[in-house]
Amino acid sequence: MSAAELTTPEAARWAARAGLPLPADRHAAVAAVADHIHSVVAVLRELDCGDTPPAATYHAGEEQHGAAV
């Protein structure tokens, strides 16, 4: 999906393509929520995680890099 906002007809098309029933009165709301989610994800993509390991390598209660968690 591009950075452009999702239009109500596009929201309806994507819902139909996914096999999801979406009443016409919900198209605008779904498009607005999708745009909001897209904007939040865009901000997260800009974060520099540097040397942060993937979450799958974290084990709660164990020492990490020589320091107690």
Side-chain angles (χ1 to χ4, degrees), residues 3-41:
E5 289 185 4
L6 185 69
T7 65
T8 53
E10 288 172 328
R13 183 172 53 97
W14 281 97
R17 188 173 181 179
L20 301 171
L22 184 62
D25 63 336
R26 301 293 299 151
H27 294 178
V30 168
V33 170
D35 284 333
H36 175 72
I37 292 169
H38 187 264
S39 68
V40 170
V41 170

Side-chain angles (χ1 to χ4, degrees), residues 23-63:
D25 63 336
R26 301 293 299 151
H27 294 178
V30 168
V33 170
D35 284 333
H36 175 72
I37 292 169
H38 187 264
S39 68
V40 170
V41 170
V43 170
L44 293 174
R45 286 188 176 145
E46 292 176 8
L47 294 176
D48 179 14
C49 294
D51 295 329
T52 305
T57 64
Y58 177 76
H59 299 283
E62 293 182 12
E63 289 189 17

